[in-house]
């Protein structure tokens, strides 16, 4: 019985030693830095989209009427939220130290980022469908058709942009999976133990 505990302890120590060596590898540091750079670029693009929509919406809203006025108005509201998300995402990426992440934390962070992007892409489809619903609803009597049509068109536009944004960022992140796979299975190094 003591022999099994000793072997288990040795395996645990070997795993921790390998994990610690990997945590300090330049390849892992580079992988983590690339992930943070990707997140920062994505948040700058989202922030740029938001600022452009807010500025354009604010300048065109007062000189328009009907559904076009509501279109620009919703673009402003929607992109105030986008700007907040972009600012928070950029700030949080600046707070992370790529050297502080070990292999396990790097895998978790990378996987979580991809899952968030796919989840958001699903939400984006919901936004587009919601916008289509509003434009259809605008055809009914006894409703503010200009408002529903303008808001619907804006939500379709914003949802479409976000859908493309999330998918492009997902595929860019997914392209780094091979790099992560190389980090998790170093050439020629392996550990096997049979109980």
């Amino acid at each position: 019985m003591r022999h099994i505990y000793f072997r288990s302890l040795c395996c645990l120590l070997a795993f921790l030693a390998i994990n610690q060596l990997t945590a300090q590898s330049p390849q892992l540091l580079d992988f983590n830095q690339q992930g943070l750079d990707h997140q920062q670029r994505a948040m700058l693009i989202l922030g740029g989209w938001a600022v452009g929509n807010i500025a354009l919406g604010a300048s065109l809203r007062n000189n328009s009427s009907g559904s076009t006025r509501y279109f620009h108005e919703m673009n402003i509201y929607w992109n105030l939220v986008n700007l907040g998300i972009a600012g928070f995402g950029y700030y949080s990426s600046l707070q992370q130290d790529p050297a502080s992440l070990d292999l396990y934390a790097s895998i978790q962070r990378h996987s979580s980022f991809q899952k968030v992007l796919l989840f958001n892409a699903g939400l984006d489809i919901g936004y587009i469908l919601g916008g289509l619903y509003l434009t259809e609803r605008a055809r009914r009597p006894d409703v503010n058709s200009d408002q529903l049509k303008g808001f619907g068109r804006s939500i379709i536009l914003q949802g479409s942009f976000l859908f493309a944004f999330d998918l492009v960022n997902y595929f860019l992140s997914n392209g780094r999976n091979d790099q992560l796979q190389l980090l998790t299975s170093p050439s020629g190094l392996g550990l096997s133990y049979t109980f």
Side-chain angles (χ1 to χ4, degrees), residues 21-93:
L21 289 173
T22 309
Q24 298 173 2
S25 74
Q27 294 85 3
L28 183 60
L29 181 63
D30 184 50
F31 177 81
N32 290 332
Q33 187 60 55
Q34 287 177 17
L36 291 173
D37 291 345
H38 178 195
Q39 183 179 349
Q40 289 170 7
R41 279 190 305 274
M43 293 302 102
L44 287 173
I45 290 169
L46 181 61
W49 171 264
V51 168
N53 271 270
I54 292 168
L56 189 62
S59 67
L60 296 176
R61 179 182 173 271
N62 292 333
N63 297 327
S64 58
S65 61
S67 66
T68 304
R69 179 181 177 90
Y70 288 109
F71 172 79
H72 294 303
E73 190 174 300
M74 179 54 80
N75 283 341
I76 294 169
Y77 298 148
W78 192 279
N79 283 286
L80 286 171
V81 174
N82 278 347
L83 187 59
I85 292 169
F88 177 76
Y90 189 81
Y91 177 77
S92 69
S93 70

Side-chain angles (χ1 to χ4, degrees), residues 168-182:
V168 165
N169 281 296
Y170 170 78
F171 287 118
L172 288 173
S173 178
N174 195 43
R176 296 178 48 242
N177 286 353
D178 290 341
Q179 186 181 359
L180 184 61
Q181 192 169 9
L182 288 174

Side-chain angles (χ1 to χ4, degrees), residues 136-186:
E136 176 61 30
R137 180 99 177 141
R139 296 179 182 174
R140 297 183 183 176
D142 299 328
V143 296
N144 186 344
S145 61
D146 284 341
Q147 183 181 36
L148 291 175
K149 184 177 178 184
F151 282 1
R153 287 178 29 227
S154 172
I155 293 171
I156 292 168
L157 171 69
Q158 299 303 325
S160 298
F161 167 77
L162 290 174
F163 182 72
F165 173 82
D166 289 330
L167 282 185
V168 165
N169 281 296
Y170 170 78
F171 287 118
L172 288 173
S173 178
N174 195 43
R176 296 178 48 242
N177 286 353
D178 290 341
Q179 186 181 359
L180 184 61
Q181 192 169 9
L182 288 174
L183 288 170
T184 59
S185 58

